[in-house]
């Protein structure tokens, strides 16, 4: 039984309010969760409840969501005997009563759901208790976001994320070492060019370089100079342009040019040819389903095409996308859908459809490493949690190191 369910308004990594949820069980256990928050959000994500009071945190306060946890949600959960996480999540969804979780707030619901998942894990490792039946656990390849643009940085770069993925690393510790080495080399290269080495929201550098191809060239140089082979045998590159953010008036606006959907596809085709890009997330906008279908036909055999803003971890949308053969991979974010159970359901759909999956943090984070356990539990083989630097980012990677040390027999690497 749950004796206490409460929430505290805390600050996230961007300095915006978010929730920390605490659940206390009858046997004296205390379980916490920190709620992440995005900046380049998909329009069909579950709704974050914010106060809207301009006098507090520019309207971003979460006291109403905290009150929902302390009040209605605590009342519904306390005192009853709960036997499984799906039961609790179903009760939360029911209690909220809206399709988008807008009444109590997806931020309130996901925080409670995560803390309750920990309560069900008890003293055992969270990843073991989250593991779906028939799925083999696996340590994921970290995708380190080393260079930030878009809405995550105040520079002129339209593409949001340039990630390095040590796909060829033999182990998780070696993958982290490669990430840190390339990141350090990239900082030195930027400094030598006189570029800024300040950081964006996810801990990557945020120099004023407008052309994505110029950034790709620099990253390949950093990989090589750090002593690794650029590509899938060593360190590959993954992109998240987050193109919904630079799509307007029917065009994609990249470095001053207005490009059509077809132009963008041709541009990506050239990038994939010239650089060791193995994964492309949100290459086209969330509303551009026809473009996505073409992109998948054109590049689906050569590159992983990850849907984030377009799928928003939503089982119904993923089902529709699979029917139209749109993309071949799902980004997985707990707070896009709002409960752990629905996240696992979205993941099951992706698995059944033969789509790969990448577990993801948000640009606004807390030190909560929940997603590290989720990635291992669901055997996705891929995670992105920002740069190999800054506390809220390395918390996830360090948790993977802990899991790896405690369970040395877990396989590491991309799932095949
Ligand atoms: P967000 O960005 O957390 O700001 O939405 C992450 C992403 O687009 O993958
Ligand atoms: Zn994204």
């Amino acid at each position: 039984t749950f004796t206490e369910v409460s929430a505290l308004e805390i600050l996230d990594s961007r300095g915006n309010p978010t929730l920390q949820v605490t659940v206390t069980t009858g046997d004296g256990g205390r379980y916490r969760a920190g709620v992440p928050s995005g900046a380049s959000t998909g329009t069909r994500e579950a709704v974050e409840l914010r106060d809207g009071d301009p006098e507090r945190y520019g309207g971003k306060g979460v006291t109403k969501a905290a009150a929902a946890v302390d009040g209605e949600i605590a009342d519904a959960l306390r005192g009853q005997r709960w036997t499984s996480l799906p039961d609790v999540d179903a009760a939360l969804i029911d209690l909220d009563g809206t399709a988008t979780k807008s009444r109590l707030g997806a931020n309130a619901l996901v925080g409670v759901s995560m803390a309750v998942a920990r309560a069900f894990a008890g003293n055992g490792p969270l990843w073991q208790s989250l593991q779906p039946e028939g799925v083999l656990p696996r340590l994921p390849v970290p995708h380190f976001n080393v260079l930030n643009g878009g809405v995550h940085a105040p520079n002129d770069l339209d593409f949001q994320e340039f990630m390095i993925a040590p796909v060829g690393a033999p182990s998780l510790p070696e993958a982290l070492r490669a990430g840190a080495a390339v990141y350090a080399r990239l900082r030195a290269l930027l400094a030598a060019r006189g570029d800024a080495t300040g950081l964006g929201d996810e801990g990557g550098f945020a120099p004023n370089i407008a052309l994505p191809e110029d950034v790709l060239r620099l990253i390949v140089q950093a990989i090589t100079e750090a002593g690794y082979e650029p590509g899938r045998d060593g360190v590959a590159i993954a992109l998240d342009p987050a193109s919904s953010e630079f799509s307007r008036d029917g065009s994609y606006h990249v470095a001053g040019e207005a490009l059509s959907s077809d132009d963008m596809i041709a541009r990506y085709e050239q990038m994939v040819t010239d650089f060791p890009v193995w994964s492309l997330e949100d290459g086209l906008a969330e509303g551009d389903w026809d473009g996505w279908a073409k992109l998948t036909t054109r590049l689906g055999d050569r590159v992983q095409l990850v849907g984030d803003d377009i799928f928003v971890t939503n089982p119904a949308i993923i089902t529709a996308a699979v029917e139209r053969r749109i993309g071949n991979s799902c980004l997985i974010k707990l707070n896009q859908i709002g409960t752990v159970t629905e996240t696992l359901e979205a993941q099951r759909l992706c698995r059944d459809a033969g789509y790969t999956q990448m577990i993801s943090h948000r640009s606004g984070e807390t030190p909560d490493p929940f997603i590290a356990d989720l990635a291992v539990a669901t055997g996705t083989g891929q995670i992105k949690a920002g740069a190999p630097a800054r506390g809220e980012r390395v918390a996830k990677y360090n948790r993977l190191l802990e899991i790896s040390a405690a369970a040395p027999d877990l396989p590491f690497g991309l799932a095949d």
Side-chain angles (χ1 to χ4, degrees):
T1 56
F2 304 119
T3 48
E4 182 206 331
V5 181
S6 64
L8 184 67
E9 183 186 60
I10 61 167
L11 293 181
D12 73 11
S13 57
R14 259 195 291 258
N16 293 327
T18 190
L19 294 176
Q20 176 179 272
V21 173
T22 303
V23 163
T24 309
T25 52
D27 54 6
R30 241 173 125 70
Y31 305 93
R32 288 227 154 101
V35 175
S37 173
S40 65
T41 49
T43 53
R44 296 165 86 183
E45 292 191 20
V47 174
E48 239 175 21
L49 185 61
R50 299 220 175 249
D51 296 344
D53 170 6
E55 302 293 312
R56 282 188 84 247
Y57 293 114
K60 291 196 166 110
V62 290
T63 61
K64 287 180 187 165
V69 176
D70 295 349
E72 274 191 66
I73 293 176
D75 287 345
L77 297 192
R78 261 194 318 245
Q80 265 202 66
R81 268 201 94 72
W82 298 95
T83 51
S84 79
L85 178 63
D87 286 349
V88 174
D89 283 344
L92 291 174
I93 293 164
D94 226 43
L95 184 67
D96 172 76
T98 68
T100 54
K101 303 186 173 67
S102 59
R103 196 177 74 80
L104 301 173
N107 42 350
L109 264 53
V110 82
V112 172
S113 181
M114 289 161 70
V116 166
R118 286 208 164 96
F120 278 112
N123 290 326
L126 177 60
W127 67 267
Q128 271 181 6
S129 113
L130 288 176
Q131 211 179 308
E133 220 181 287
V135 172
L136 295 176
R138 166 179 288 275
L139 290 159
V141 174
H143 286 60
F144 302 106
N145 185 1
V146 294
L147 207 134
N148 298 181
V151 300
H152 292 171
N155 55 9
D156 290 337
L157 182 62
D158 301 297
F159 278 27
Q160 182 178 281
E161 301 174 19
F162 292 79
M163 292 169 274
I164 51 167
V167 175
S171 67
L172 183 86
E174 284 305 313
L176 290 197
R177 195 167 74 91
V182 175
Y183 183 74
R185 196 59 225 152
L186 183 60
R187 180 196 277 115
L189 278 175
L190 290 168
R193 288 162 41 108
D195 281 317
T197 54
L199 304 181
D201 288 356
E202 296 190 349
F205 304 111
N208 226 346
I209 304 174
L211 273 181
E213 290 82 357
D214 287 344
V215 173
L216 287 167
R217 215 165 283 121
L218 266 174
I219 291 176
V220 169
Q221 192 183 344
I223 292 170
T224 308
E225 290 183 11
Y228 295 91
E229 191 182 327
R232 288 188 66 159
D233 291 336
V235 178
I237 295 175
L239 293 175
D240 178 10
S243 65
S244 300
E245 298 291 332
F246 55 82
S247 150
R248 49 182 182 274
D249 322 320
S251 297
Y252 293 92
H253 298 265
V254 179
E257 271 186 281
L259 304 170
S260 69
S261 205
D262 287 345
D263 294 339
M264 279 309 290
I265 294 171
R267 185 87 172 249
Y268 290 132
E269 191 162 29
Q270 196 61 50
M271 280 184 207
V272 170
T273 304
D274 295 344
F275 302 99
V277 173
W278 97 273
S279 178
L280 172 64
E281 174 184 333
D282 283 356
L284 296 176
E286 60 170 87
D288 188 2
W289 283 54
D290 291 339
W292 263 94
K294 275 195 226 172
L295 175 70
T296 308
T297 309
R298 268 285 268 294
L299 291 182
D301 291 339
R302 294 175 66 186
V303 69
Q304 174 174 269
L305 298 171
V306 190
D308 172 14
D309 287 357
I310 185 172
F311 297 165
V312 291
T313 318
N314 184 312
I317 300 173
I318 291 168
T319 302
V322 167
E323 264 169 33
R324 284 196 56 185
R325 301 186 161 281
I326 286 195
N328 55 30
S329 182
C330 304
L331 200 75
I332 301 295
K333 291 168 166 168
L334 289 153
N335 78 325
Q336 279 183 326
I337 188 68
T339 62
V340 176
T341 301
E342 289 164 288
T343 303
L344 291 169
E345 168 65 8
Q347 294 193 256
R348 191 186 58 76
L349 284 171
C350 296
R351 252 190 331 268
D352 289 352
Y355 279 38
T356 58
Q357 302 171 52
M358 191 186 296
I359 303 289
S360 174
H361 66 156
R362 298 307 302 244
S363 51
E365 268 293 342
T366 76
D368 188 330
F370 193 102
I371 59 167
D373 286 77
L374 180 66
V376 173
T378 54
T380 60
Q382 303 180 46
I383 190 171
K384 68 168 190 175
R390 304 197 69 87
E392 77 281 5
R393 310 297 151 187
V394 298
K396 283 66 168 171
Y397 299 129
N398 290 339
R399 172 64 186 150
L400 290 174
L401 282 175
E402 262 175 30
I403 296 173
S404 161
D409 292 336
L410 280 176
F412 162 80
L414 297 180
D416 36 33

